[in-house]
Amino acid sequence: MELTALKGIGDKTAEAFKRLGIFSAEDLISFYPRSYESFDKPKALYELEPGKIQTVEGVLTKDASVNRFNGMTIVNAYLADMTGRLQLSWYNSPFIKNSLREGMHLVFRGRVYEKNGKLIMGQPKIYQAESYKEKYEGRLMPIYPLTKGISNNTIVKAVSEALTLCRHTGEYLPESIIDEYGLKSLDVTAIRLHFPRSGEELRASRRRAVFDEFFLNNLAGARLSERAKRLTSVYRCKPDFGLIRFIADLPFELTAGQLKAYKEINADMSSGRVMNRLVEGDVGSGKTMVAMLAMLFAALNGYQAAIMAPTAVLAAQHFETFNRMLEKSEFFDGRINTVLLTGSMSAADRKEALSRIRSGEANIIIGTHALFQEKVEYKSLALIVSDEQHRFGVGQREALSAKGDMPHTLVMSATPIPRTLAIIMYSNMDISLIKERPQGRLPIKNCVVGPGYRRTAYKFIFDEIKKGRQAYIICPAIEEAEEEENESLGGKTASEKNAAKLENVTDYTEKLRKIVPEGVRIAMLHGRMKNDEKDAVMKHFKEHETDILISTTVVEVGVDVPNATVMMIENAERFGLAELHQLRGRVGRGEAQSYCIMINTSVSEKAAERLGILNNSNDGFQIAEEDLRLRGPGDVFGVRQSGDIDYRIADIYRDAAIMKDAAAAVKELMDRDPELDEPEHQRLRRISDEYLEKGYIV
Ligand code: ADP
Ligand code: MG
């Protein structure tokens, strides 16, 4: 159903919705809230605590007053109940004054802070007392990710309409599974995920949605590996003396983990079975080297090997690295030929690349998603390596393989998750774990500081740049989000939800441009830029034509600029630990000392404790373990930890217990009906086939 078929959505709003990845009314139903605001019962004034968003109810003791200074207006009002008095303040919203008169009985909701020993509520939202009790109290209101031109209210209205107008897909899980794991029905889940009436309802609905994500993903993997097991591989490899000498001649010694991973890969590819292996290693552990050895192994056996990188920049980076390593090697007698294939190449280059791939002349193929396109024909593709790419489907696999012979697959992942979780999550793959990092790297120096430290941080960054280094600054948002509407006034006040402002790359870049010393070159990068724009920005940074890159988390994955030594992260409390660790992995890649500055703009103790984990450890696996311990299961609210894994709602850490259930359910199902032939599994089979086509997550 068209978005514009919903009330109040015109072409312009529909356009804005597209930026959130919403193209139809159905998309809205699975556009889950980012978090929920819980509207509690008003507190007595003497119970208030600073630092939290709270609700109060009382009577205004006099008319509100407006004060002006420094070009700002402040509206003040005073509220009293039987237990005390409270000052309420609004900045730059002078119109509010007229609706706040002595004797009015109202409810206010906002963040309470302390000033000169007194408590003040800042930017509170205003409600009529009865309206609050009827419409809000005890409820959980959804908070959605926003974009310019779309307010939370717009989404709330659109979602409610979509829920009533769109037909639901209908149940596909077998009844036995629903019963055994105590799952809510699908249609109830859809409604209650958006509009839970209680914390309990939210937990139950969320559990179902999370279960389904894990279940479908795990099932896809299981079906794929079931298929692979029954095949004998046509691409059986034998040892090659050139490769053995190449490894001995490398400028560095392989780490124990790299060597072990390579031996396991070697054994898989020589076994006559189809390899389906995951190499898991922390950022900087040298996974590219392992991928390269595997590819050389296939190529020296007379086959082709392809590596797929998530971006053109990363593909080009690998291409260079491979060529550099191969240049010096005389052990291959010209048997190795590399080629690069990305979407942004010129037509002539592309044509040449395609013909070299088709003839089999090129046997080490490096590229992006362009590798999957129909036009690309391979002569004998024996190995696909997927680098830092978390979605990989059977459709893609088959598209890559010319005759439909199943190639070996190798997936390189930097997601440091605890071993116990990895075993469940990747139950359908063999895992090689690289634990250590190459020797001779200085550990990154970390600090977690408040916004007051920003100036010092800038000075530090400018000093590093003077020394010829480069820096990243990460902001959580791309642009300023639309402010929320004030329910009872219909007007707008500054968003009170977060006392701390969410930094966005657009404004930040402008702001920084004004204060950087002369000659310091800065650039902006975010996910909504066009691909070739993004590539150009990254290329300039790599070639040191830019000094500071202000970016969203799009730089998170794989980028290797060893000259960058500072990573500064704004609103660090907004990111998951895994994400922060991944971001930090962008520095500390060369010999020089590197630094990670995390700006914590939250007053919450929990945030401080979480960031403390990162501050004290550079070991991704240890961070993952501690994070899991700190938060425990059942923590429904809060930041998603695994931002880099492509689940929509599930969080592998927080939802570890559900993941276990889902994996067990898949196992039972596969033991009973591996082909999903039974009549009661037909719907599930269709949904699962679709899921496999789209690509599952590894
Ligand atoms: P990641 O695991 O994050 O993909 P990379 O493969 O990009 O890590 O490796 C990071 C850097 O370490 C590269 O510059 C690479 O050349 C180097 N490297 C890889 N293996 C070793 C090793 N055994 N000893 C020293 N340096 C290595
Ligand atoms: Mg890598």
Side-chain angles (χ1 to χ4, degrees), residues 50 146 196 274 337 502 509 524 526 533 557 603 611 629 659 662 679:
L146 300 181
V274 178
N337 292 301
L502 209 57
T509 308
M524 168 173 97
H526 60 73
E533 270 178 287
V557 163
V603 291
L611 294 174
R629 193 159 42 234
M659 184 159 95

Side-chain angles (χ1 to χ4, degrees), residues 287-288 318 387-388 558 589:
K287 294 184 294 294
T288 312
H318 284 333
D387 186 35
E388 317 266 9
R589 307 192 131 242

